[in-house]
Amino acid sequence: MPPKEIDLPNRSGRIVTEQVTKPEHSGIVTSIRGSVVDMRFDELLPSIYSVVKTGREMEVVIEILMQLDRRHVRGIALTPTEGLCRGMKALNTGAPLKAPVGKGTLSRMFDVFGNAIDRGGPLSNVTWRSVHGAPPPLSRRSTKAEVFQTGIKIIDLLVPLERGGKAGLFGGAGVGKTVLLTEMIHNMVSTESGVSIFCGIGERCREGEELYRDMSEAGVLDNMVMVFGQMNEPPGSRFRVGLAALTMAEYFRDDLHQDVLLLIDNIFRFIQAGSEISGMTGQMPSRLGYQPTIGTELSALEERIANTGTGAITSIQAVYVPADDFTDPAAVHTFSHLSASLVLSRKRAGEGFYPAVDPLSSGSKMAGESIVGRRHYDLAREVRRVLAQYAELKDIIAMLGLEQLSAEDRRLVGRARRLERFFTQPFFTTEQFSGLKGKSVPITDTIDGCERILRDEFENYPERALYMIGSIAEAQEKVEIEKNETAKQPEAGTMTQGSATVKPEGGN
């Protein structure tokens, strides 16, 4: 029987051509419970992960999750199910959910179906691949531990990231989380010739639009792909958008042999969407109402983020911790996959220390002596010791004053305050707001600057000289500039007449 072509509108309203080769590809809807849809196929059951289309205009897209018996399947709708009713015809496409891959995806924004949602015109130079893939086999993985340089001083020194690893970014609204993410994208694109992919899971529409505009204004959109499953999307869409973004990232890693920076915001929303699907499909919940398959589902996503011999996917993931309970199953399962955790402090942000990374609460598995080297390791430990002792002395200073400390403690407080200001850094992506030129600092300059501060070489420098600079040499330049400007200004309380400076009478 020759293939029969039918025109079906996809989610964006465009007409696409589907082929139905045999009658057994047709079924009917038998049950609808929210986003869960049961269907009956009398001949051939759709396979797991197959996409089925139904609705009056075939606008409802369903992914098959279960085969209930010989004739019935259960799937989760990736689109809203308004208007769907029992008895409607269902067409099995025979193919899984696919995502576009290729250079044509750069600078574009997509939804979970691979539809461009940036009004940038039709796609070109792309192919389509299934979003369901296997992690790289052990034979292809790189066993070498490599540090991913970000150009951000406090991260590279105290919380080094792993190339091909996963880092968790903990922070609420207003502490500079998005700014830190965009700066990493900028540094990745400008220094390592890599590709950045941003995946918004459960993202607010407003935040997605703002990020797109910020990336465009910062000039980093040309080497970036954005994929969104927004907060108003059904749980099925939010559950699969992470796999769609990961499929695009794997293309650049495996086919083009490029390094990829994958930013996910928020990984908790992925787990939350899986919990909603689990409840609607009738699975028995586990602790605190989470799905019993939480570990398997998270591993299916996280284990595909890996470092191979030809390229690496380095992931930075925003992690929401419910009620600040770090024993929550979502947090526990996420932590087991992370190689580094960055905690953004609202207190530091309020004091004007950007990036607001808390050096004492953050940590990394890559900070070992065998990986970063003896000099880096010893310096990081000494910096943490100084900052920790300063944190302990803050209460005494607040109650009794700095003068009540011993001479050694006063010197330690001075070192800690200078280190805090040296760890601030102007970003490229905020130049148009701060008026400060962005800086990317090599780790060698960061180590040299911290060592000199700990040796009290800048004891007589004002603390503001170390604020918002790149390398330590810029502090000396700022002091010289201030001295020259002060020398050019007339002495306070004097009047200038022509070329002569006259001090008024009665002055002491």
Side-chain angles (χ1 to χ4, degrees):
M1 180 178 179
K4 177 185 176 183
E5 293 188 347
I6 58 174
D7 290 336
L8 300 177
N10 67 2
R11 189 165 177 262
S12 62
R14 295 190 296 269
I15 300 298
V16 296
T17 299
E18 297 284 352
Q19 288 189 347
V20 180
T21 57
K22 294 183 180 180
E24 57 261 27
H25 285 264
S26 307
I28 61 171
V29 176
T30 60
S31 175
I32 308 163
R33 295 186 304 279
S35 294
V36 176
V37 181
D38 291 354
M39 292 159 286
R40 176 188 176 101
F41 288 83
D42 291 329
E43 297 295 334
L44 181 64
L45 278 183
S47 58
I48 300 297
Y49 296 149
S50 290
V51 170
V52 175
K53 294 185 178 182
T54 184
R56 288 187 174 87
E57 298 179 350
M58 296 297 164
E59 75 280 6
V60 180
V61 181
I62 301 170
E63 185 181 62
I64 302 302
L65 296 182
M66 300 179 183
Q67 293 183 345
L68 302 178
D69 53 37
R70 289 184 178 182
R71 296 183 179 180
H72 292 85
V73 292
R74 177 169 294 167
I76 186 74
L78 306 181
T79 56
T81 56
E82 285 85 359
L84 193 62
C85 61
R86 290 186 296 174
M88 281 187 170
K89 186 177 180 180
L91 294 178
N92 176 21
T93 65
L97 183 65
K98 294 183 178 181
V101 298
K103 292 185 177 180
T105 60
L106 293 174
S107 76
R108 303 300 300 271
M109 182 189 293
F110 300 93
D111 62 10
V112 68
F113 302 101
N115 298 323
I117 56 176
D118 56 0
R119 302 178 183 177
L123 291 177
S124 60
N125 193 24
V126 298
T127 57
W128 294 79
R129 292 183 181 176
S130 170
V131 301
H132 301 283
L138 292 177
S139 59
R140 288 188 53 217
R141 292 180 182 248
S142 174
T143 57
K144 183 179 179 181
E146 299 180 62
V147 174
F148 176 77
Q149 300 292 344
T150 65
I152 301 173
K153 292 180 289 189
I154 191 170
I155 295 178
D156 289 342
L157 179 68
L158 300 179
V159 200
L161 306 185
E162 180 185 5
R163 181 176 179 266
K166 280 87 70 175
L169 182 61
F170 304 85
V175 295
K177 178 178 62 177
T178 301
V179 172
L180 190 57
L181 292 178
T182 55
E183 183 70 8
M184 289 184 181
I185 293 172
H186 179 278
N187 293 350
M188 173 72 175
V189 173
S190 60
T191 62
E192 301 202 14
S193 301
V195 176
S196 298
I197 297 180
F198 185 91
C199 176
I201 304 177
E203 189 79 2
R204 297 175 182 86
C205 302
R206 170 185 57 80
E207 293 179 354
E209 188 275 333
E210 289 177 353
L211 182 63
Y212 182 86
R213 188 176 65 250
D214 292 344
M215 293 294 95
S216 180
E217 293 175 356
V220 300
L221 198 60
D222 291 340
N223 290 295
M224 183 176 178
V225 184
M226 305 177 75
V227 189
F228 285 97
Q230 296 169 337
M231 184 175 287
N232 62 317
E233 301 279 353
S237 177
R238 289 181 272 123
F239 192 55
R240 293 306 186 205
V241 69
L243 299 182
L246 190 51
T247 301
M248 298 179 186
E250 288 173 333
Y251 167 81
F252 291 104
R253 180 193 66 188
D254 300 335
D255 292 45
L256 300 186
H257 307 310
Q258 290 183 307
D259 286 347
V260 181
L261 180 61
L262 176 63
L263 305 168
I264 301 177
D265 184 16
N266 191 297
I267 197 65
F268 173 79
R269 305 302 177 191
F270 169 80
I271 298 175
Q272 189 177 47
S275 178
E276 295 178 37
I277 292 173
S278 175
M280 288 188 293
T281 54
Q283 296 186 31
M284 182 70 68
S286 63
R287 180 170 171 256
L288 297 184
Y290 286 100
Q291 63 270 39
T293 56
I294 179 174
T296 302
E297 293 169 356
L298 187 60
S299 297
L301 175 70
E302 298 282 7
E303 288 304 308
R304 290 169 64 180
I305 303 172
N307 181 8
T308 65
T310 57
I313 300 176
T314 303
S315 177
I316 301 174
Q317 307 169 7
V319 183
Y320 169 69
V321 181
D324 293 332
D325 180 12
F326 286 86
T327 63
D328 187 272
V332 171
H333 283 86
T334 303
F335 292 152
S336 63
H337 293 279
L338 301 179
S339 57
S341 59
L342 296 168
V343 180
L344 298 185
S345 168
R346 189 173 301 278
K347 181 179 179 181
R348 289 180 60 83
E351 295 172 350
F353 295 140
Y354 289 101
V357 178
D358 188 338
L360 301 180
S361 300
S362 305
S364 172
K365 297 178 182 177
M366 300 297 290
E369 180 182 349
S370 61
I371 298 175
V372 298
R374 181 73 180 182
R375 180 188 178 195
H376 184 163
Y377 174 75
D378 288 343
L379 177 63
R381 290 191 62 185
E382 179 63 17
V383 168
R384 287 182 185 275
R385 184 190 69 82
V386 170
L387 294 177
Q389 290 188 6
Y390 173 50
E392 295 175 356
L393 292 172
K394 282 184 177 180
D395 290 339
I396 299 177
I397 297 173
M399 291 186 295
L400 303 178
L402 186 64
E403 295 76 13
Q404 300 301 318
L405 299 179
S406 64
E408 178 59 31
D409 284 343
R410 287 198 295 271
R411 284 193 294 269
L412 183 140
V413 169
R415 295 180 197 128
R417 291 176 61 87
R418 286 188 285 272
L419 283 172
E420 285 183 333
R421 283 149 182 79
F422 179 62
F423 283 140
T424 61
Q425 185 171 340
F427 283 169
F428 291 96
T429 52
T430 58
E431 286 182 0
Q432 62 269 37
F433 308 114
S434 65
L436 301 175
K437 186 177 180 181
K439 306 289 183 181
S440 178
V441 184
I443 183 60
T444 53
D445 290 351
T446 302
I447 292 176
D448 177 65
C450 291
E451 287 179 339
R452 295 177 65 182
I453 290 174
L454 292 176
R455 290 197 298 263
D456 291 332
E457 291 187 22
F458 296 88
E459 185 176 7
N460 297 323
Y461 280 60
E463 292 177 353
R464 64 178 180 274
L466 298 168
Y467 182 72
M468 284 295 171
I469 63 173
S471 63
I472 197 67
E474 295 180 27
Q476 298 170 315
E477 296 174 2
K478 288 179 69 174
V479 171
E480 291 297 329
I481 292 174
E482 289 182 1
K483 287 182 179 179
N484 294 334
E485 291 178 350
T486 303
K488 292 179 182 179
Q489 295 176 355
E491 184 179 351
T494 63
M495 298 179 294
T496 302
Q497 298 178 352
S499 59
T501 301
V502 182
K503 181 173 290 188
E505 296 180 1
N508 294 325

